[in-house]
């Protein structure tokens, strides 16, 4: 036999508590890595209304190919970009739910060929209780490690 429990009603006090928790700033310690190497680490403070963002861009000349003397095989430049956006979306019994959007663009080049880029991007939701750490993984070893401060 299956025993069904009555659904628990949400009270106005529950709604007020959830709204207060969503508007309270939460600090997340973050580490981004790709292809086994660290890319960035730092912290962002977020609420439901105010997301935390991080963007890093770099552009530089291409390296010379082996045996190249005059630079004739260089085409374009090397560009890389790292982007992260995080915001609180809801509250559950297990903690706050955060929406994480991450993007990593990196150069790819073979000597004598024009430069090109590869991009890894993902958007995921993750639930974190105070003090909890979770890692979100994408392609090419791209990872976002999040720790919610207490």
């Amino acid at each position: 036999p299956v025993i069904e429990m009555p659904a628990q009603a949400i009270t106005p006090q529950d709604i007020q508590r959830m709204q207060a928790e969503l508007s309270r700033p939460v600090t997340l310690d973050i580490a981004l890595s790709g292809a086994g190497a660290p890319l960035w680490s730092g912290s962002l403070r977020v609420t439901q209304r105010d997301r935390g963002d991080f963007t890093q861009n770099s552009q530089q000349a291409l390296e010379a190919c082996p045996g190249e003397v005059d630079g004739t095989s260089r085409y374009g430049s090397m560009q890389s970009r790292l982007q992260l956006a995080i915001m609180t979306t809801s509250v559950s019994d297990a903690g706050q739910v955060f929406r994480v959007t991450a993007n990593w663009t990196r150069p790819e080049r073979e000597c004598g060929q024009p430069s090109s880029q590869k991009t890894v991007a993902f958007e995921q939701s993750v639930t974190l209780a105070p003090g909890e750490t979770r890692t979100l993984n994408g392609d090419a070893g791209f990872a976002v490690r999040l720790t919610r401060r207490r």
Side-chain angles (χ1 to χ4, degrees):
V2 176
I3 300 172
E4 293 187 23
M5 301 294 289
Q8 188 176 8
I10 295 177
T11 66
Q13 292 82 10
D14 292 332
I15 293 172
Q16 287 177 342
R17 180 188 54 78
M18 287 187 260
Q19 288 174 337
E21 192 168 336
L22 288 171
S23 63
R24 188 177 308 116
V26 173
T27 301
L28 299 170
D29 293 316
I30 303 159
L32 304 177
S33 59
L39 299 172
W40 178 79
S41 64
S43 62
L44 292 174
R45 202 169 31 257
V46 301
T47 68
Q48 186 177 30
R49 292 193 182 131
D50 298 306
R51 70 182 195 183
D53 286 303
F54 170 78
T55 301
Q56 176 179 292
N57 294 302
S58 71
Q59 180 172 334
Q60 57 184 323
L62 295 173
E63 290 185 54
C65 292
E68 182 181 66
V69 179
D70 61 1
T72 57
S73 68
R74 290 188 217 168
Y75 298 94
S77 61
M78 290 182 11
Q79 299 175 2
S80 61
R81 181 178 182 91
L82 191 59
Q83 292 178 290
L84 178 70
I86 302 174
M87 72 182 310
T88 300
T89 60
S90 60
V91 177
S92 74
D93 290 338
Q96 279 185 283
V97 181
F98 300 90
R99 185 175 64 234
V100 178
T101 304
N103 181 309
W104 176 38
T105 300
R106 64 206 182 282
E108 179 182 70
R109 176 178 184 254
E110 293 181 27
C111 281
Q113 301 296 317
S115 62
S116 64
Q117 297 175 333
K118 285 191 169 190
T119 299
V120 177
F122 63 81
E123 184 170 333
Q124 292 183 32
S125 292
V126 61
T127 302
L128 290 170
E132 187 176 7
T133 297
R134 299 273 307 271
T135 300
L136 307 176
N137 295 298
D139 293 333
F142 185 41
V144 178
R145 190 183 79 230
L146 305 164
T147 300
R148 181 178 170 186
R149 289 189 188 168
R150 295 187 184 274

